[in-house]
Amino acid sequence: LLIEEGWRLEYCAISNDYTYCPVEFDEFYKQRRRWIPSTIANLWLLVSKSSKMTANNESIGWLFIIYEVFVIISTILAPATVILIISSGLSTAFSLSIIGVIVSLLLVSVIYGVVCLYTSQKTQLD
């Protein structure tokens, strides 16, 4: 990170930026698959080296570091929250056991994770 070396980030209202946006879903999926782990890794690096970051850059304070800790925690908890909401809805709508629904959803999540880790992107998208 450039911030680690003392570089500053500043807001500029009149800046121009150009980017390539994915047109097809395949391209979008591949882009998100690259960006999500790197975003989490960069957030973790920022938090783990927070002393150095705040010392080298006057634009980054402890309030920002605390905010980034909450971002990491919410990123980890979000999938579990979705599973609990879906299980509650299924349990209520179909009068199913909440434990059985949660176990079923967790099993589906684990299978999905294994498919993501061990199959090619082409297999996942087809």
Side-chain angles (χ1 to χ4, degrees):
L1 289 169
L2 294 174
I3 298 170
E4 186 178 2
E5 299 302 321
W7 288 65
R8 291 183 54 185
L9 296 176
E10 291 186 10
Y11 173 74
C12 181
I14 59 170
S15 66
N16 289 326
D17 188 27
Y18 299 97
T19 187
Y20 170 75
C21 296
V23 177
E24 300 292 325
F25 181 76
D26 293 359
E27 297 171 28
F28 173 73
Y29 181 79
K30 290 174 186 175
Q31 180 189 61
R32 296 305 304 156
R33 192 160 178 182
R34 285 190 317 269
W35 284 10
I36 291 170
S38 64
T39 300
I40 293 171
N42 287 333
L43 288 173
W44 180 253
L45 181 65
L46 178 73
V47 170
S48 66
K49 296 186 175 191
S50 57
S51 302
K52 185 177 182 181
M53 298 288 191
T54 54
N56 287 350
N57 197 323
E58 63 188 38
S59 300
I60 296 180
W62 285 104
L63 206 55
F64 179 71
I65 299 296
I66 292 169
Y67 165 75
E68 294 300 332
V69 169
F70 283 119
V71 169
I72 292 172
I73 291 170
S74 67
T75 301
I76 293 168
L77 293 180
T81 305
V82 170
I83 287 174
L84 288 175
I85 290 171
I86 292 172
S87 62
S88 176
L90 289 173
S91 175
T92 302
F94 299 109
S95 300
L96 300 173
S97 161
I98 191 75
I99 301 299
V101 173
I102 290 175
V103 168
S104 301
L105 287 173
L106 287 175
L107 188 61
V108 168
S109 299
V110 167
I111 291 170
Y112 175 74
V114 168
V115 167
C116 287
L117 288 174
Y118 295 109
T119 62
S120 68
Q121 290 179 359
K122 182 165 177 32
T123 303
Q124 295 173 29
L125 291 171
D126 288 341

